[in-house]
Amino acid sequence: MVDLVLRSRRVVTAHGERPAAVAVEGGRIVGVDDYDHLHDARIDTDLGETALLPGLVDTHVHVNEPGRTDWEGFASATRAAAAGGVTVIVDMPLNSLPPTVDAEALAVKQEAARGQTHIDVGFWGGKIPGNTADLSGLHARGVFGFKAFLADSGVPEFPPVTGAELTAAMKSVDALFVVHAEDPEHLQPFGGSARYGDFLASRPAEAEHAAVATAIAAARESGGRVHILHLSAAGALPLIAAAKAEGVRVTAETCPHYLTLDAGEIADGATEFKCCPPIRDAANAGRLWQALADGLITCVVSDHSPCTPELKRRDTGDFAAAWGGIASVQLGLPVIWTAARARGYTLGDVTEWMARRPADLVGLPGKGRIMVGADADLVAFDADETFVVEPRRLHHKNPVTPYAGKKLQGVVRTTWLRGHAVTGSAPAGMFLTREGA
């Protein structure tokens, strides 16, 4: 007898979408059989035409606890993630206090998270000036790699590094380095304005191009792995393609807001749209979609970076004073599915970008896929249902989102973590560590 069988006419596996029965025992998938296959199961649920997806893996989430827990915390972030079909997040090392830049800080963060996580959580370490000696110890404790900024991070306790410092760090430890790629020399002075166009002009595409080149150079010289975070400027794609052809170990991600939002439609004063790098125009987004389809961009992740409503400065609409970040961990799946479906992509494409590839990026072969032996992290997704985003109904700690009022397609009905439905009442998430740690 198995613990659970989930049947659906639309089970999404690596081989496409088909009717199937997924059997679960001991938290793992033990069978992916024909839809009408007979199982002796304690629970047997037929989802009918509701699709069954693998749980999404979001490798770019700012939880902010401890230290800035009024912005977001582990309980609220993981509850929101589960409501959006996400079963794994990897938490960024900054915006929490202390930042995760040494083993002691990691222990502080894990203690803050303990007993609060509704889904599984992994952690990134941070590379800042002066902490290269701490990286090997932090890596040994299981972080999935190290985040570095090449420009101001927005918080003083996480300063940027130079290209030379990044190269030296990559030589010091065999780890994945994930880089916020904007070059400070190309950023323009921005004294304050409520015009989105002024903010966009202050962070031109050339800043990303130059920083991507710096990150690639560090990977080339060190022989290490570098991953370009939240790629916004499509003009950097030829640099990445050329480096990959050369054998440089470089990958890149993008985010739902860069794929679906259009700078030309952002109203002045609408600071909920502020993020760094910025949202660009629709033609740029089209090139990002093509790179995603071609595999040049590896995955789509949220860069969930929330704050309190006051810090968004909707009172003045001043883009210079507003915090830069978009809260979207709960909405990424329907946002991307709505746009992907309109462009002719399938649920299989979406789960490839948002589940399997991000799991592979951080070395989690048992996550992000429906196959025998994988964790039974699963999502019942009504791909044909629509809803209108109401911020007050989101599980994010603060109801601020640029998607407010948007009609989206696709509703998460149930999320299972290792075969157990996530209800938001009993946290059962685990800490994940890098394989071999």
Side-chain angles (χ1 to χ4, degrees):
M1 178 176 288
V2 298
D3 297 328
L4 172 68
V5 170
L6 295 172
R7 303 176 191 275
S8 169
R9 297 287 180 185
R10 305 181 66 182
V11 175
V12 179
T13 73
H15 305 293
E17 186 179 312
R18 68 179 178 91
V22 178
V24 176
E25 174 65 28
R28 292 185 181 273
I29 296 171
V30 295
V32 182
D33 305 300
D34 291 340
Y35 175 81
D36 56 0
H37 184 87
L38 293 178
H39 283 277
D40 189 6
R42 294 176 178 85
I43 301 173
D44 192 319
T45 300
D46 192 335
L47 301 172
E49 295 298 323
T50 298
L52 186 66
L53 314 182
L56 305 190
V57 177
D58 192 340
T59 55
H60 196 149
V61 175
H62 296 266
V63 176
N64 306 331
E65 185 176 8
R68 293 187 174 97
T69 312
D70 55 335
W71 296 16
E72 189 71 281
F74 281 100
S76 53
T78 57
R79 190 180 291 113
V86 178
T87 51
V88 175
I89 63 170
V90 186
D91 174 61
M92 283 294 171
L94 72 156
N95 300 346
S96 55
L97 294 169
T100 315
V101 295
D102 55 38
E104 292 74 20
L106 175 64
V108 170
K109 177 169 281 191
Q110 289 177 328
E111 187 56 35
R114 199 173 308 280
Q116 293 202 74
T117 61
H118 295 274
I119 60 171
D120 290 351
V121 177
F123 302 90
W124 293 106
K127 168 60 194 152
I128 60 173
N131 82 326
T132 295
D134 296 304
L135 300 185
S136 60
L138 193 50
H139 200 234
R141 285 164 176 78
V143 298
F144 286 96
F146 299 98
K147 180 174 188 177
F149 275 76
L150 295 177
D152 180 21
S153 72
V155 291
E157 66 276 1
F158 205 96
V161 298
T162 65
E165 288 170 325
L166 178 61
T167 302
M170 293 180 72
K171 289 179 177 179
S172 75
V173 59
D174 183 16
L176 175 62
F177 281 77
V178 298
V179 177
H180 180 120
E182 288 184 288
D183 187 315
E185 297 300 318
H186 289 77
L187 300 179
Q188 304 300 314
F190 184 50
S193 171
R195 293 187 66 251
Y196 182 77
D198 293 340
F199 166 66
L200 179 59
S202 76
R203 305 188 88 95
E206 290 76 15
E208 283 191 79
H209 303 169
V212 167
T214 297
I216 288 171
R220 180 185 293 113
E221 183 176 340
S222 67
R225 294 173 63 204
V226 70
H227 179 72
I228 307 301
L229 297 170
H230 46 47
L231 184 69
S232 158
L237 291 167
L239 297 172
I240 297 169
K244 289 174 74 72
E246 181 190 334
V248 177
R249 297 196 292 167
V250 57
T251 52
E253 69 186 33
T254 193
C255 304
H257 39 283
Y258 300 130
L259 291 166
T260 65
L261 301 179
D262 179 357
E265 297 180 353
I266 298 176
D268 292 344
T271 52
E272 64 270 27
F273 288 86
K274 181 183 176 180
C275 56
C276 299
I279 295 161
R280 306 191 189 276
D281 61 29
N284 179 83
R287 294 174 66 191
L288 296 178
W289 276 104
Q290 188 60 55
L292 187 62
D294 293 342
L296 184 56
I297 293 177
T298 303
C299 52
V300 179
V301 293
S302 70
D303 188 14
H304 178 71
S305 186
C307 66
T308 60
E310 294 76 20
L311 289 175
K312 273 297 187 182
R313 298 310 305 265
R314 285 305 306 273
D315 55 338
T316 64
D318 184 355
F319 278 95
W323 175 257
I326 288 179
S328 62
V329 71
Q330 184 172 339
L331 294 172
L333 176 57
V335 166
I336 289 297
W337 173 234
T338 301
R341 181 173 182 163
R343 289 173 175 265
Y345 296 110
T346 67
L347 280 175
D349 295 322
V350 172
T351 57
E352 175 81 1
W353 303 330
M354 302 185 78
R356 189 190 67 79
R357 287 189 193 169
D360 289 350
L361 175 72
V362 294
L364 292 173
K367 297 290 190 180
R369 63 207 78 203
I370 295 178
M371 61 178 239
V372 173
D375 285 354
D377 298 349
L378 302 163
V379 179
F381 185 62
D382 191 337
D384 299 320
E385 186 60 55
T386 61
F387 70 102
V388 175
V389 177
E390 298 180 59
R392 64 185 179 85
R393 294 184 178 274
L394 298 176
H395 293 284
H396 308 158
K397 181 165 285 189
N398 294 292
V400 179
T401 173
Y403 301 108
K406 290 188 178 295
K407 184 178 181 180
L408 299 178
Q409 192 146 27
V411 174
V412 173
R413 297 299 186 191
T414 307
T415 298
W416 291 267
L417 181 69
R418 285 183 291 279
H420 295 280
V422 181
T423 64
S425 60
M430 296 171 57
F431 292 161
L432 303 178
T433 57
R434 177 182 51 81
E435 192 172 82

